[in-house]
Amino acid sequence: MLEYSADAAVKSAMARAHAERGQVLKQAWTWLFGKRPAPALRPKVSRWA
């Protein structure tokens, strides 16, 4: 990791932001690739038939 000079408040804020970004990324992956309920199977009949 890159070394930087910052006080304890900045370091804790950066750690908190990193954890929050991780949670958002995890939620995004779950939303994209999570299990979704299968659509209801209904016969596709044309209204015009």
Side-chain angles (χ1 to χ4, degrees), residues 6-39:
D7 61 358
V10 172
K11 288 182 181 182
S12 69
M14 289 180 71
R16 189 172 60 247
H18 179 72
E20 290 174 3
R21 279 193 303 270
Q23 287 293 326
V24 169
L25 188 61
K26 183 178 178 181
Q27 290 173 357
W29 279 106
T30 301
W31 179 78
L32 282 173
F33 301 109
K35 292 185 178 182
R36 293 187 180 135

